Amino acid sequence: MGSGSAEGAERRRRRLGEQERRAQIIGGCVEVLAREGYRRASLARIAEAAGVSKGLVSHYFASRETLMEQTAITTVGFLRDEVRSALDLTASVPDIIRAALRYVSQLRESHRTELRALDQIVHNLRGANGTGLDLRAYEDTYRDE
């Protein structure tokens, strides 16, 4: 066997912390949503993409809907941080706004997978009462830091 497969096996055996494992599963969810869409994003497909068992996905996320909501929240936070890190906040306000608009306009190409996954969640996730995502979950996006 080549060293690459031994390295991969070692990485799979290493115990990940809760946050790392959740991030791994959310990454698999983003991948499956972007590739196959919301309706085909089963826990089994997500687990396979994340390289974990379906049972482990269920251990960290109480339901498919909870996983989808957490994936949306995490992905919005990731994109927000990407935009924030690209900006020089010491610049003038008009320059910051122009830079933010330029950067956001490029997200469609630079972060296609994340945006496709978010689109799938926003247009398909419904709670028991038929409503979509609770926008209060995104308050960090609008918080002044």
Side-chain angles (χ1 to χ4, degrees):
M1 255 189 227
S3 63
S5 60
E7 181 181 314
E10 178 62 31
R11 194 171 41 239
R12 281 191 298 273
R13 275 187 240 128
R14 184 174 75 90
R15 291 191 61 85
L16 297 178
E18 183 175 340
Q19 290 307 105
E20 289 176 300
R21 188 62 77 190
R22 285 178 178 275
Q24 178 184 12
I25 294 167
I26 287 171
C29 187
V30 167
E31 179 184 323
V32 171
L33 285 165
R35 184 181 64 228
E36 300 184 40
Y38 188 86
R39 286 182 177 75
R40 295 186 48 97
S42 67
L43 291 182
R45 283 189 169 103
I46 292 166
E48 182 180 348
V52 300
S53 70
K54 183 180 168 187
L56 196 60
V57 174
S58 296
H59 172 77
Y60 284 101
F61 299 95
S63 67
R64 179 176 181 263
E65 290 72 24
T66 301
L67 171 57
M68 294 297 170
E69 185 172 330
Q70 287 303 306
T71 298
I73 291 167
T74 299
T75 304
V76 166
F78 167 75
L79 293 170
R80 177 196 62 230
D81 293 345
E82 287 288 298
V83 172
R84 183 182 296 142
S85 70
L87 301 177
D88 174 9
L89 298 179
T90 63
S92 68
V93 171
D95 287 342
I96 292 171
I97 292 170
R98 276 191 287 277
L101 290 172
R102 270 194 304 275
Y103 191 83
V104 168
S105 71
Q106 296 168 0
L107 285 178
R108 184 174 299 153
E109 294 302 318
S110 63
H111 293 80
R112 179 181 307 246
T113 301
E114 293 87 353
L115 291 173
R116 170 99 171 109
L118 273 175
D119 181 68
Q120 289 295 303
I121 294 169
V122 167
H123 287 97
N124 292 286
L125 180 64
R126 295 288 174 257
N129 62 0
T131 62
L133 288 173
D134 181 356
L135 295 179
R136 288 175 295 175
Y138 300 94
E139 287 181 4
D140 282 349
T141 300
Y142 308 108
R143 188 181 70 229
D144 187 23
E145 290 189 5

